Amino acid sequence: MKKLILGSLLISLLIFSSCMKPDVFEPRTSDFSLSQKTVFLRMFGFPGNMDGQFSAPYGVAADQDGNIYVADLGNDRIQKFNSRGEFLLKWGNAGTLQGQFAGPVDIAIDSKGNLWVVDSGNNRIQKFDSNGKFLRQFGEPGTGDGEFNIPMAIDIDSDNNIYILDVGNYRVQIFNSKGQFIREWGSPGTANNELDNPFDIAVDHLKNVYIAEVSLAKIKKFNSKGKFLRAWGEPGFEPGQFFAPFGIAVDPYGYVYVCDSANYRIQKFNSDGEFILTFGKIGGDAMKFGFPFRVSCDNHGKLYVTDLGFMNVKVFEIILR
């Protein structure tokens, strides 16, 4: 199962960039409109299995205190850093017991500061406190309610309901804060109200659900009950077009950020899918990426991007002027 998950990395696209040693970067800015600018704040991490190193960093999230949590998939662990990217602690190893993982792919943090981790290879969701203490779990392999077939992404709404993108079953499952099943929706296909190779999920403050579809190069928006609302995107290199959109996040104001991974950039849209700005290109400079994979937003205007090309995390801030 873990090999299957790792295969989705498109390793052939990453070999050349993962071997490059990143520079030490100073903060830089890039202007993209008269009212906004993107500021590079810092990056941390190198390839490896020591503290603060990564082997396929997937999901990333930050808590209210600015601490940063990274799902280090290849090392089957979660790592915690302070707001400056300094290593604090880690937990997890390969296995099926409580607190062990078989490919942790994504993280979400609830209003109480607890972490919910998608343990994809074990087809379950595990809950921990901010210091890695195991609290509960739910899920098992299957196609029924509360069962999973390669869960790949997670987000949590304002009521602490948990949204899981169950990619092998082509559906979204929703649970309450105790892990109890509420509803599911979705079916395989390429129509607007269907899912085709979905890879990431994000939920806004109105409980609208955004799903990144990799093969269709499209973002789809649904309400929390699965009613299709709109879609945008197509294959390409222009603004509003995508080449392998692997990651998606929504900030507290409802703006949508997409990891346009094989175009080596982040794109920002409003909630209707109207393009606002983009930043990034291939390379090792501060505003460049080896392969941006997952993105998350905190409540203070910061973006956190896992870069599989350099096996690190980059932190940005988009400032409104």
Side-chain angles (χ1 to χ4, degrees), residues 42-70:
R42 65 186 55 88
M43 75 92 170
F44 57 92
F46 291 89
N49 57 18
M50 305 296 289
D51 293 350
Q53 298 178 339
F54 302 113
S55 175
Y58 257 56
V60 60
D63 65 21
Q64 290 295 326
D65 296 323
N67 297 308
I68 305 164
Y69 303 82
V70 182

Side-chain angles (χ1 to χ4, degrees), residues 171-316:
R171 65 183 179 181
V172 173
Q173 295 198 64
I174 304 174
F175 303 83
N176 66 19
S177 60
K178 295 181 180 180
Q180 298 168 332
F181 177 83
I182 297 176
R183 72 174 67 92
E184 59 92 15
W185 47 265
S187 59
T190 59
N192 281 333
N193 61 344
E194 297 173 329
L195 300 178
D196 182 72
N197 197 15
F199 204 84
D200 202 5
I201 189 170
V203 183
D204 68 17
H205 60 292
L206 300 175
K207 300 182 182 179
N208 296 309
V209 180
Y210 301 81
I211 295 178
E213 290 191 332
V214 175
S215 59
L216 295 179
K218 183 176 291 187
I219 304 302
K220 291 182 178 178
K221 179 180 179 180
F222 303 84
N223 69 16
S224 62
K225 295 184 178 180
K227 179 183 177 181
F228 173 79
L229 299 177
R230 68 181 66 250
W232 71 90
E234 61 183 354
F237 312 98
E238 299 299 322
Q241 298 179 330
F242 305 111
F243 185 17
F246 276 113
I248 190 169
V250 183
D251 71 14
Y253 305 101
Y255 292 107
V256 180
Y257 298 84
V258 179
C259 269
D260 187 10
S261 301
N263 280 326
Y264 308 97
R265 64 186 179 183
I266 307 297
Q267 295 197 62
K268 179 180 180 179
F269 303 86
N270 68 17
S271 60
D272 292 326
E274 297 173 341
F275 173 81
I276 296 176
L277 64 81
T278 183
F279 67 94
K281 62 175 69 174
I282 188 171
D285 205 349
M287 303 299 294
K288 299 176 183 178
F289 298 103
F291 197 83
F293 195 69
R294 284 276 170 89
V295 58
S296 70
C297 309
D298 67 14
N299 292 327
H300 309 290
K302 294 184 177 62
L303 302 180
Y304 304 85
V305 181
T306 54
D307 188 342
L308 288 180
F310 291 115
M311 299 297 176
N312 63 26
V313 176
K314 290 184 176 181
V315 185
F316 303 88

Side-chain angles (χ1 to χ4, degrees), residues 5 58-60 71 73 103-107 117-121 151-153 294:
I5 300 169
Y58 257 56
V60 60
L73 181 147
V105 295
D106 204 10
I107 305 173
V117 180
V118 180
D119 184 11
S120 190
M152 189 56 66
R294 284 276 170 89

